[in-house]
Amino acid sequence: MGEEGNTYQHLVAGNSFHSNMLTGNMEFLQWSCHDVATWIESLGFPQYKACFMENLITGRKLIYVNCVYLPRLGITDFKDMKVISARVRELLGITETLWSRSIADTRRDIVGMFLENKSRTGERVDNQTYQQFLDDMRQ
């Protein structure tokens, strides 16, 4: 975060995720595990900073932070898990997964699919924009 200041604060402060994605404003994808841990601390959970740092959770890996995976990181308090999961979804602009969702239903949240794609590494993924992802999905 350093030179950019508290990047996560302006992202959480109400900017439209989709407009951010279309204009290329995806700073949270560049967060190091230290940046993510600092964000977790800013949410009121300083006791979990080490969990995120030790498990190398970067901004690209936040898409996987939910109530299913938090216990694997060492976070087992259910109230805390619900809050952290909700704040991650809010930051990323994704909706909660419906557990009763049938595989026959239409595709799930497009933003979540994009962020899962961005969680990978490599030149192609690094250079892919949200608009390019949308264009690829339409083909």
Side-chain angles (χ1 to χ4, degrees):
M1 286 186 297
E3 302 160 15
E4 308 246 342
N6 294 329
T7 302
Y8 58 85
Q9 288 178 340
H10 82 270
L11 284 172
V12 176
N15 290 334
S16 166
F17 181 82
H18 290 281
S19 66
N20 283 341
M21 296 301 273
L22 291 171
T23 60
N25 188 2
M26 300 177 286
E27 289 124 354
F28 63 86
L29 290 173
Q30 303 303 316
W31 288 358
S32 68
C33 55
H34 179 71
D35 295 333
V36 171
T38 300
W39 179 69
I40 290 296
E41 181 179 39
S42 78
L43 297 177
F45 300 105
Q47 69 273 30
Y48 299 134
K49 274 183 80 168
C51 296
F52 284 82
M53 300 256 317
E54 291 167 6
N55 288 284
L56 304 175
I57 304 299
T58 64
R60 285 180 178 231
K61 299 298 179 187
L62 281 173
I63 186 66
Y64 300 112
V65 174
N66 58 41
C67 286
V68 173
Y69 292 103
L70 284 171
R72 295 179 189 176
L73 301 180
I75 301 168
T76 56
D77 182 292
F78 190 65
K79 287 182 199 174
D80 293 352
M81 290 168 55
K82 287 183 358 182
V83 171
I84 292 169
S85 293
R87 295 303 301 267
V88 167
R89 287 191 310 272
E90 179 184 325
L91 173 69
L92 302 182
I94 58 176
T95 57
E96 187 170 9
T97 303
L98 299 175
W99 298 106
S100 60
R101 183 182 176 280
S102 167
I103 61 170
D105 290 345
T106 57
R107 290 186 143 173
R108 59 189 176 75
D109 184 24
I110 192 81
V111 174
M113 291 170 59
F114 171 73
L115 292 172
E116 284 178 7
N117 188 53
K118 290 296 276 187
S119 72
R120 298 177 185 96
T121 58
E123 188 175 336
R124 182 177 175 275
V125 172
D126 288 345
N127 294 327
Q128 185 179 42
T129 66
Y130 185 61
Q131 186 61 55
Q132 289 170 331
F133 179 79
L134 292 175
D135 293 344
D136 290 347
M137 292 297 295
R138 290 185 187 114
Q139 295 177 359

